[in-house]
Amino acid sequence: YAAVLKSISESNTRQDAALVDSEPDPWKAIALYLEKRTDFIIKYHHILEYLKTYTPLNMPPELESLFTHFREQELGRVTAILERSKERGLFRMEDPRKTAELFYDFLEGFRYATLSRSGMLFPEKKQFLAILKKEKEFGRIFFNGLAFNIP
């Protein structure tokens, strides 16, 4: 299962990374990143649904290390967006990696809080778009707080 999940994720990441990395507008890049994450989950829901059988306490080591890899990969993508934005003078921040970690940790915490209220590790299909909408709302607030000039 971990090998299949890694294979489909890597294939998807190669396609999505090019789109996200080519977007010059930082907010549009973040929104695209969030949309692509949600698209992936919806597209592979039938495969990912198996995760419902696990909790953080009974997660197999193969999946645990895979999720650590996914986290680093996603943090790298968000960090790259922030670094480009800082270099262009669009955002002010001392450490793009730490800012990316803060943003990503919020997303994880938000997702965890949403799912824990429903008693599930993995959301039902109908919850994905509601989560995406709230992630985008948070992203808008978060990144407007970093901007020099808010349009």
Side-chain angles (χ1 to χ4, degrees), residues 33-128:
Y33 158 76
L34 294 171
E35 290 166 6
K36 292 299 180 182
R37 280 178 26 152
T38 300
D39 290 347
F40 175 83
I41 293 169
I42 291 171
K43 181 177 180 180
Y44 293 106
H45 187 269
H46 62 287
I47 294 171
L48 299 171
E49 200 166 34
Y50 178 69
L51 293 173
K52 289 181 180 181
T53 62
Y54 295 111
T55 69
L57 299 175
N58 71 351
M59 185 75 60
E62 298 84 2
L63 285 176
E64 195 172 319
S65 66
L66 188 59
F67 290 133
T68 298
H69 170 74
F70 290 158
R71 175 182 165 78
E72 284 303 312
Q73 191 174 45
E74 291 197 21
L75 278 173
R77 186 176 292 170
V78 175
T79 299
I81 293 167
L82 297 181
E83 285 173 342
R84 287 192 311 269
S85 301
K86 182 180 178 183
E87 289 168 6
R88 292 179 50 212
L90 300 173
F91 287 166
R92 62 184 184 284
M93 70 191 92
E94 298 211 10
D95 186 340
R97 172 65 182 211
K98 284 186 179 183
T99 303
E101 287 173 356
L102 179 64
F103 180 73
Y104 187 83
D105 286 347
F106 165 81
L107 295 178
E108 289 294 301
F110 171 75
R111 210 172 300 119
Y112 177 78
T114 301
L115 299 177
S116 67
R117 284 192 298 270
S118 70
M120 297 163 33
L121 178 66
F122 194 74
E124 296 292 330
K125 284 184 178 182
K126 65 184 178 187
Q127 293 175 292
F128 293 128

